[in-house]
């Protein structure tokens, strides 16, 4: 937010949560500062709210990209910028996912915006001015495959902006 704001976040997941930090107790309640720092009621600060879960979503891999494992970092740097992540956010995403992907011969990568938003519904109060939600599904492949390319769009960051990123390996 542009100024310090009390924020509550609730997640309705089509599945079950397997890990959260800080603990998800019927939602998260934090004070958000203009630099993005989140502070809980006990004065502990966080860079972000973390959740992991299992969902019943059916990922659509019909559009995306087939990328050599060794080219994955460069691809993600470019794609994440086009999807609206800033340098710090993209760095955190890449550091998390690259070790799982770079040794694959190829990665079939598809960003799942609509399916993801419908399977992991956020209720944020006050309502943000903008949301950037990036969710990648990928699967390893021994061979190159043709896949219709995805087009990227990113909402403009204005005012109170919520950013979320994540992904899953499709097996």
């Amino acid at each position: 937010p542009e100024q310090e704001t009390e924020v509550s976040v609730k997640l309705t997941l089509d599945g079950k949560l397997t890990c959260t930090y800080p603990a998800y107790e019927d939602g998260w309640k934090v004070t958000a500062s203009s630099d993005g720092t989140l502070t809980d009621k006990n004065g502990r600060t966080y860079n972000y709210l973390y959740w992991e879960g299992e969902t019943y979503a059916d990922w659509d891999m019909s559009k995306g990209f087939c990328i050599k494992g060794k080219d994955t970092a460069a691809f993600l740097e470019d794609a994440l910028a086009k999807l609206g992540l800033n340098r710090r956010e993209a760095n955190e995403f890449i550091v998390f996912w690259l070790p799982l992907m770079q040794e694959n011969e190829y990665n079939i990568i598809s960003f799942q915006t609509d399916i993801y938003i419908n399977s992991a519904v956020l209720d944020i109060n006050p309502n943000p001015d903008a949301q950037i939600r990036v969710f990648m599904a990928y699967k390893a492949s021994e061979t190159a495959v043709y896949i219709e390319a995805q087009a990227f769009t990113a909402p403009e960051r204005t005012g109170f902006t919520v950013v979320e990123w994540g992904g899953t390996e499709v097996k």
Side-chain angles (χ1 to χ4, degrees), residues 68-73 97-105 107:
K68 287 184 179 180
K70 66 180 182 168
D71 297 335
T72 301
W97 289 105
L98 188 61
L100 303 172
M101 301 172 74
Q102 69 182 352
E103 299 303 320
N104 297 334
E105 195 63 35
N107 292 298

Side-chain angles (χ1 to χ4, degrees), residues 139-156:
K139 61 182 172 181
S141 177
E142 293 297 318
T143 59
V145 297
Y146 171 78
I147 184 169
E148 184 180 339
Q150 278 183 297
F152 294 131
T153 59
E156 183 180 342

